[in-house]
Amino acid sequence: MEADVFCKIIAGDIPTEFVYRDDDVAVFADINPKAPVHLLIVPVRHYTGIADFSETDGKLLGHMLRIAHTIADERGLHEGYRLIINEGAHGNKIVPHLHIHLLGGKNLGPKIVAE
Ligand code: AMP
């Protein structure tokens, strides 16, 4: 199976500036930002999606949320931000590697679904 684009980024095969990186999680800017701040919080280990995530992975998810909040704080998103996980065809997920979008830097409005 060919590595997905986020596995390639994490492996260093696609040069990318990391906002944050540890053994378990990488954070980098979305290439097509939808808000002044649009970062992707990505587990280093490949999970195709939420279906791959087990109860024992809860610690990793908590770690990802802590990192999201810390980075949001560092970026001055004190008025708030939005975290999104797209899943499957109806969720319009494009990259088959679990990731959380961190969006902020403006009022994102009340709509969280396309009409
Ligand atoms: P989705 O799978 O729909 O949750 O979104 C995948 C996101 O990955 C999109 O917002 C893309 O703009 C973003 N993306 C795709 N390729 C890259 C890349 N090489 N570097 C950074 N972001 C990317």
Side-chain angles (χ1 to χ4, degrees):
M1 193 176 83
E2 208 209 328
D4 65 80
V5 64
F6 292 170
C7 276
K8 289 178 183 168
I9 286 172
I10 287 163
D13 296 336
I14 298 175
T16 302
E17 192 175 327
F18 291 105
V19 171
Y20 176 87
R21 177 78 204 250
D22 66 23
D23 289 345
D24 301 311
V25 176
V27 182
F28 48 88
D30 194 293
I31 203 168
N32 184 19
K34 298 289 194 296
V37 176
H38 187 174
L39 303 175
L40 300 170
I41 298 152
V42 183
V44 167
R45 186 181 144 196
H46 177 88
Y47 297 83
T48 302
I50 293 173
D52 294 345
F53 228 66
S54 70
E55 288 284 339
T56 54
D57 293 317
K59 193 172 173 200
L60 174 60
L61 185 57
H63 185 46
M64 291 169 73
L65 294 177
R66 284 307 314 161
I67 290 166
H69 187 73
T70 300
I71 292 173
D73 203 38
E74 288 170 0
R75 293 291 175 107
L77 307 183
H78 306 306
E79 303 293 323
Y81 53 87
R82 185 169 289 162
L83 301 178
I84 296 174
I85 299 177
N86 294 321
E87 188 61 43
H90 280 191
N92 271 274
K93 180 187 185 138
I94 297 165
V95 177
H97 186 131
L98 184 72
H99 53 282
I100 302 174
H101 294 255
L102 167 60
L103 297 143
K106 67 175 184 180
N107 189 324
L108 298 164
K111 293 180 185 167
I112 57 169
V113 291
E115 292 179 332

